[in-house]
Amino acid sequence: NDGFQSSPRIKIIVGKDVLYKFQVEHRNFEPLIKMILRTCSGVFEDYVNFNEAAIGTKIKLSAEETGSLLTRLNDLNILTYIPRKEKPQIALLQNRIKKEELILDKKFIEDRINGFKERIESVRAYLSNNTICLSRYLVQYFGETDSADCGICSVCLSKKKEALSNLEFETIANTILEMVKEPMTFHDIDINIDASMDKTREVIEWLTDNGKIGRMEDGRIFLK
């Protein structure tokens, strides 16, 4: 399975008499063992979730120090300690088999790797795309082919800009930026600029989307 966060788990694998004898002979583990017995019911019968930070606070140890003691108890075969897992895991659904008899499905693993690479490349292609409407690009990725340009993404806006010659666009844009030093309505701009209404509107939309100009509550356009 893919990466996920799982809580640490513990299970005491010795009897109570053996555990008591171990505590007497290893006093440095006694506070932790006593706290486990107080807070983790059923720990002799099955695995229980365990919070290193919370338990550590009660015995004045950090989560790392608590985890280190649990690892030591695990190595001494007093308990089984399964630390927190954050990486992809393989769970064996049947009894453990010998390493030399374990056969992994290489094709399945390769397909998973290739699928992951394809998703990464799709993200890279999306980020570098400057020709296809971003909204249409996304829906096509999910299999929808009958879609129209949204008209408001960065690609669509850049296409509107390209419909004008660079020189014409810059001329209109500079004229508008000069005019709106004092707030003006679109109508006032349109009647005082030497360009069609559609071209003026396209340039104003581009300037607005790129933070060059803004609109007041009454609709007037102003220079930012």
Side-chain angles (χ1 to χ4, degrees), residues 12-20 44:
I12 296 179
I13 57 177
V14 298
K16 295 181 180 180
D17 292 341
V18 175
L19 182 61
Y20 176 76
F44 285 97

Side-chain angles (χ1 to χ4, degrees), residues 105-117:
D105 188 340
K106 293 184 178 180
K107 185 178 185 306
F108 172 77
I109 296 173
E110 289 173 356
D111 288 344
R112 288 289 300 272
I113 293 173
N114 291 333
F116 179 76
K117 288 180 178 179

